[in-house]
Amino acid sequence: MTDTALEALARRVEVLEAEAEIRRLQARYMFLCDTPLPEYGISDDAKRIELILELYTEDAVWEGVGEYYDGQFGRAEGKQAIREHFERFWGEKRDPALLLNAHYLTSEQIHVHGGTADGQWIHMQPWLFSDGSALLRSSRLNNAFRKEDGGWRITRTRTENVFVAPLPDHFASDHPSVSVLMKP
């Protein structure tokens, strides 16, 4: 194999490894946002938020865009603003209480550009509430990533609503109050 062929092969492997790490990073973010939280032993939302923030760069942006999400989520610039965004989300007591939400990602596209990348997904998320009501949310994600200190981090989370649809009351009757999936 020639040096040129080896270099081309090495570049292809780097891209594949970057795509795999970005895929895991995005999935980890979604996993940490699920309710009940599947991360075993973490019952405190402050710890959940810290785990989420570990996925982001210091200068990251988290924003909801478009006619539905502009007013609902707005824009948070920097880790501290992102922390405050999540503290508002999990810190506000809701009536009815959110009992379950799960994030499903599809239609993945990841584009690696050396030390940066962007990715797009469509996301579906059922929400179940303590009064038996339920809804299904869908959004598009257009996120950005940067390689820092040998690993990939999120530099931008951008979400835009596709739809929110009510589901029949008591849509799902059997669901856990806590997750033990990851219990050792």
Side-chain angles (χ1 to χ4, degrees), residues 104-165:
Y104 302 89
L105 292 174
T106 186
S107 303
E108 176 181 272
Q109 299 180 68
I110 298 173
H111 314 279
V112 179
H113 315 285
T116 63
D118 60 86
Q120 295 79 39
W121 292 265
I122 296 176
H123 147 256
M124 298 288 285
Q125 180 184 15
W127 291 50
L128 305 179
F129 297 94
S130 60
D131 66 353
S133 64
L135 58 90
L136 181 63
R137 300 177 79 127
S138 178
S139 60
R140 293 186 193 282
L141 303 172
N142 181 19
N143 297 348
F145 307 87
R146 182 171 64 230
K147 194 167 189 177
E148 283 188 350
D149 302 321
W152 287 88
R153 296 287 176 266
I154 302 168
T155 60
R156 181 190 69 226
T157 294
R158 181 178 290 150
T159 181
E160 178 180 51
N161 181 57
V162 174
F163 69 83
V164 177

Side-chain angles (χ1 to χ4, degrees), residues 28 31-32 34 36-42 178-184:
R28 174 97 174 122
F31 181 87
L32 290 169
D34 284 351
L37 177 62
E39 185 83 358
Y40 186 75
I42 306 297
V178 300
S179 177
V180 296
L181 177 68
M182 304 303 287
K183 183 179 179 178

Side-chain angles (χ1 to χ4, degrees), residues 40-139:
Y40 186 75
I42 306 297
S43 58
D44 180 318
D45 286 329
K47 180 60 177 166
R48 172 203 303 250
I49 292 167
E50 290 308 312
L51 292 171
I52 290 170
L53 290 173
E54 288 175 8
L55 308 176
Y56 282 88
T57 61
E58 287 297 325
D59 62 343
V61 172
W62 195 108
E63 63 184 331
V65 298
E67 61 189 81
Y68 186 79
Y69 279 170
D70 274 344
Q72 185 177 7
F73 294 127
R75 180 180 171 97
E77 295 183 39
K79 269 190 173 179
Q80 183 57 35
I82 295 170
R83 173 183 280 106
E84 292 167 5
H85 163 77
F86 284 114
E87 286 172 346
R88 281 189 302 276
F89 180 82
W90 280 299
E92 293 175 1
K93 297 301 175 202
R94 294 191 172 93
D95 187 23
L98 177 63
L99 299 179
L100 180 136
N101 72 331
H103 296 76
Y104 302 89
L105 292 174
T106 186
S107 303
E108 176 181 272
Q109 299 180 68
I110 298 173
H111 314 279
V112 179
H113 315 285
T116 63
D118 60 86
Q120 295 79 39
W121 292 265
I122 296 176
H123 147 256
M124 298 288 285
Q125 180 184 15
W127 291 50
L128 305 179
F129 297 94
S130 60
D131 66 353
S133 64
L135 58 90
L136 181 63
R137 300 177 79 127
S138 178
S139 60

